[in-house]
Amino acid sequence: MTQPKKRNVSKIVVLAMAAGTLITGVYGFGSKFEEFIRMARTPDGGGFALIPVLNYMFATAGFVCLFVWAMRNGMFKDIEGPKYDQLDRERELDRLDGIDWKE
């Protein structure tokens, strides 16, 4: 009965840390972006940096779309499985080659 409580506490801690990281990241990016917009509006401001910033934003949007697509297709459900599959395949190949690692 103690196992589900421990698992719930771990989930809550992970979610709280993720939310804290996300909130601080969004705040930091938002404040810098606002500063950039204010600077770009001035006559001698940062209009020179508009294209690189837009490129970074489009690249970030692409990575976010890729991440959401991966989550929706269940690619983060079993992150330990491929490791064990690879080890099983390696054992099978070693067995076929006549290698016995138990010696």
Side-chain angles (χ1 to χ4, degrees):
M1 187 102 175
T2 60
Q3 187 70 6
K5 281 187 176 183
K6 185 177 180 182
R7 188 174 297 152
N8 287 339
V9 170
S10 296
K11 284 184 180 180
I12 291 170
V13 168
V14 168
L15 288 174
M17 290 177 67
T21 303
L22 185 64
I23 288 169
T24 56
V26 167
Y27 174 75
F29 177 78
S31 63
K32 286 296 180 184
F33 188 68
E34 178 189 4
E35 183 180 331
F36 169 73
I37 294 296
R38 279 190 275 125
M39 182 181 69
R41 288 185 176 177
T42 61
D44 58 339
F48 66 93
L50 184 61
I51 298 300
V53 169
L54 288 175
N55 284 337
Y56 293 137
M57 290 179 68
F58 284 131
T60 302
F63 282 118
V64 168
C65 290
L66 184 64
F67 179 72
V68 169
W69 172 79
M71 282 185 56
R72 294 190 83 198
N73 286 314
M75 293 186 180
F76 298 115
K77 294 279 185 195
D78 183 22
I79 59 173
E80 297 291 322
K83 170 177 62 176
Y84 294 114
D85 291 342
Q86 180 181 3
L87 289 172
D88 290 340
R89 274 186 250 124
E90 190 68 28
R91 250 185 246 116
E92 180 63 22
L93 289 173
D94 287 345
R95 188 186 63 77
L96 291 173
D97 285 341
I99 300 172
D100 185 16
W101 291 103
K102 294 179 184 176
E103 294 178 353

